[in-house]
Amino acid sequence: MLIMASFQLTPGVFALFYHYALGQFSKAKASYLSLFFILGAEIITTCLYLSIYYLTCIFFFNNLHPETSILFWTIAGILIALGIISLFFYYRRGAGTQLFIPRKYADALDQSAKSVKTRSDAFMLGALSGTCELAFTLPLYVVTCVEIMRMGAEGFASNFLTVLYILTPVIPLFFIRWKYQSGLNLADIQKSRVHDKGFTRFILAFCYIIVAVLIICFRTIYQ
């Protein structure tokens, strides 16, 4: 959950979108449109989670025992690789907060953020803004789905963790929305994002590696 809350692509697009919306519309309408952006981001997170959960259930229950599968070693290796990538390549070199995504895609997101006029535009922008980070998020979905599946799909704890997990990615968006409504502007938000860049890079790398180590440790225990 901490990793999911630390990604910066969707919050960065949201900050730009809200800035442009304030320049074109009233504060009330900008705030209203921002809710549809957040809804789009939440819907795509929920759809991804549910899809991967059901695929994981079918895959594990019909073919593999999770505690003895080589897939766990593969996932652990992927998570370690993502930790290293997060530390050195998640942000581009320079003083700003440019991410690893291709510049053409970044420009397309910027243009899309500028051109939002309706609720559906805001919803689609929210849903599509984080697509370039799927390489970072999909392994986390698999790990989370497997562990929640172990707990039992009908238990209170598993249901509570499921809801909490799919809500986590939009928490930074509500925080940015609160900043704008408190009178801050894009420059203020960007300044804080630059200040937090080193910490974000570290926490992503650290958490990825910790999850990988836990997977290896529990795999060894079950062996």
Side-chain angles (χ1 to χ4, degrees), residues 28 31 58 66 68 93 128-129 134 138 143 151 157 169 175 194 197:
S31 178
I58 294 170
T68 60
R93 292 184 179 180
L128 299 176
S129 59
L134 286 177
L138 286 179
V143 172
M151 298 173 64
F175 188 58
V194 171
K197 183 169 75 170

Side-chain angles (χ1 to χ4, degrees), residues 14-27 29-31 33-34 113-114 116:
F14 181 71
L16 285 173
F17 150 75
Y18 209 122
H19 170 74
Y20 292 136
L22 285 173
Q24 299 178 70
F25 310 112
S26 65
K27 289 183 178 181
K29 185 170 183 179
S31 178
L33 289 175
S34 72
K114 285 181 181 178
V116 170

Side-chain angles (χ1 to χ4, degrees), residues 178-214:
W178 171 78
K179 284 186 174 182
Y180 273 114
Q181 292 181 336
S182 298
L184 300 181
N185 56 33
L186 181 61
D188 299 319
I189 294 169
Q190 182 63 13
K191 187 183 298 183
S192 66
R193 294 182 72 227
V194 171
H195 180 267
D196 295 338
K197 183 169 75 170
F199 176 77
T200 300
R201 190 160 42 196
F202 168 78
I203 204 68
L204 285 172
F206 177 77
C207 288
Y208 269 122
I209 293 173
I210 286 295
V211 174
V213 169
L214 289 174

Side-chain angles (χ1 to χ4, degrees), residues 88-106:
F88 295 106
F89 304 108
Y90 186 72
Y91 287 101
R92 289 177 178 264
R93 292 184 179 180
T97 57
Q98 288 188 346
L99 300 179
F100 63 94
I101 64 174
R103 290 301 88 198
K104 287 185 178 180
Y105 185 75

Side-chain angles (χ1 to χ4, degrees), residues 5 17 19 41 43 49 57 80 82 85 111 121 134 137 142 147 152 168-169 171 173 179-180 189 221:
F17 150 75
H19 170 74
I43 291 294
Y49 176 85
C57 285
I80 291 172
L82 288 175
I85 291 170
Q111 291 301 318
D121 291 341
L134 286 177
T137 58
V142 173
E147 292 306 317
T168 297
I171 291 175
L173 306 186
K179 284 186 174 182
Y180 273 114
I189 294 169
I221 291 171

Side-chain angles (χ1 to χ4, degrees), residues 22-69:
L22 285 173
Q24 299 178 70
F25 310 112
S26 65
K27 289 183 178 181
K29 185 170 183 179
S31 178
Y32 177 67
L33 289 175
S34 72
L35 293 176
F36 284 89
F37 183 106
I38 294 172
L39 180 62
E42 179 58 30
I43 291 294
I44 197 66
T45 299
T46 304
C47 290
L48 280 171
Y49 176 85
L50 292 177
S51 299
I52 294 172
Y53 180 83
Y54 286 117
L55 287 174
T56 303
C57 285
I58 294 170
F59 185 63
F60 279 117
F61 278 114
N62 290 341
N63 297 284
L64 295 170
H65 298 289
E67 62 270 17
T68 60
S69 173

